[in-house]
Amino acid sequence: MIIEHQFKTKSHDLCDLFSKTNKMSTFKAKVERQANQNIQDYPYNDYVGDAFEFLVELIIKLHPVDNRLGITNYTPVQLDDNGVDGYGINMDGENCAVQVKFRGDVTSTLSATKDYLDSFINESQHKLRGKFVPMLYTTEKGCPRHYIFTTNEGLHHYTETEKWKAFNIHVIKWSTLRQMLDNNYLFWDKCREIVKLNCKSC
C-alpha cells in the first residue's frame, strides 16, 4: 500500500507516533506533544494538521469496503491546498472531496466561517465539476460527495442544518473515530507495518 502524504518524511518521529498506539486519544496526545518540538521550522498547527491528514489517509485506504466511509482511490492534496485535503471515489462511483480538521478540544464544533469550511465547499465544487460531476450536491439521499474528518464533535448545528442543508455531507467526528479505531489492534498493527516501510529508524 502506498501512502502519499508528505508527513511520512517530514514528521519529527513517525515511529514513536504509532509505537504502542492503539487508541485515538493516545495518537492525539502524541501528535500534540511532537508538535511542540520545533515550532520555528514546523509550526504547531501545520504539524497537527499534517499528522491527522496522514492518519486519515491510512484510515481511508485501510477501510476500502467499510460503508461508514465508502471512499476508494483516495489521493491527498498537498500542493495548492485551497480547502480540500483530498479527493476520492464514493460508493456510487462518483468523485468526492475530503476535508480534515484537527482540533484540540474534542467537545468543540466546526462552523463554516470560523473554521474556513466555506473554502472546502467552494473549491470542491470547482474541482469536482471538472471531474465529470454534473451536480455536486442534491437534496436526494445518496452517497456523500463531501466528507469531513475531525477530532471534535462535528459541525455546528446552524452550519449543518441551515447553511449547508442542501449538501449531503458525511462527518466522521471524534466519537466515531474512537468507535472505529480504539483497541482496533488490526488497524493499528497495519499502520505500524506501513510506517516501518517509510521510517528507517523503526
Side-chain angles (χ1 to χ4, degrees):
M1 178 183 293
I2 298 175
I3 300 299
E4 301 177 49
H5 200 285
Q6 59 190 359
F7 185 75
K8 65 184 180 182
T9 58
K10 293 174 59 180
S11 66
H12 299 324
D13 192 340
L14 192 64
C15 301
D16 176 68
L17 204 54
F18 288 90
S19 177
K20 298 180 181 179
T21 298
N22 295 301
K23 290 185 177 182
M24 279 301 300
S25 58
T26 306
F27 178 84
K28 181 175 177 291
K30 286 184 176 182
V31 167
E32 291 171 330
R33 184 173 66 248
Q34 287 191 13
N36 281 307
Q37 291 180 10
N38 187 8
I39 58 175
Q40 292 79 16
D41 295 329
Y42 206 151
Y44 181 93
N45 287 335
D46 291 346
Y47 194 91
V48 296
D50 286 349
F52 190 38
E53 288 176 19
F54 180 82
L55 180 66
V56 166
E57 184 178 356
L58 285 166
I59 293 169
I60 291 173
K61 290 184 174 179
L62 289 172
H63 292 80
V65 295
D66 190 330
N67 61 9
R68 290 172 295 183
L69 304 181
I71 304 171
T72 58
N73 292 27
Y74 180 73
T75 301
V77 174
Q78 300 181 82
L79 296 174
D80 299 321
D81 179 357
N82 294 314
V84 177
D85 292 314
Y87 291 100
I89 305 295
N90 68 15
M91 293 179 68
D92 282 338
E94 300 168 331
N95 291 282
C96 60
V98 173
Q99 172 67 276
V100 180
K101 289 290 186 183
F102 183 99
R103 292 293 179 266
D105 182 1
V106 299
T107 66
S108 65
T109 56
L110 301 174
S111 72
T113 303
K114 178 173 63 72
D115 295 289
Y116 307 104
L117 295 177
D118 283 333
S119 61
F120 169 53
I121 297 296
N122 294 335
E123 179 71 7
S124 62
Q125 280 186 297
H126 172 71
K127 291 291 177 65
L128 288 178
R129 281 178 178 153
K131 294 184 178 183
F132 328 121
V133 179
M135 189 75 172
L136 183 59
Y137 62 91
T138 174
T139 56
E140 297 177 4
K141 296 297 182 182
C143 290
R145 291 178 179 168
H146 293 89
Y147 294 79
I148 297 176
F149 289 77
T150 181
T151 56
N152 67 11
E153 278 306 299
L155 297 177
H156 185 275
H157 177 74
Y158 175 80
T159 298
E160 183 174 17
T161 62
E162 294 295 330
K163 186 165 188 177
W164 286 358
K165 63 182 178 181
F167 290 83
N168 186 1
I169 299 174
H170 183 39
V171 180
I172 299 91
K173 58 186 180 179
W174 177 249
S175 56
T176 305
L177 290 169
R178 290 191 60 195
Q179 183 181 37
M180 288 178 62
L181 304 177
D182 279 7
N183 296 320
N184 183 343
Y185 299 108
L186 290 175
F187 170 79
W188 294 105
D189 285 345
K190 191 64 178 179
C191 288
R192 284 184 276 274
E193 178 183 320
I194 294 169
V195 164
K196 284 182 180 179
L197 298 176
N198 298 280
C199 183
K200 295 180 179 178
S201 62
C202 288

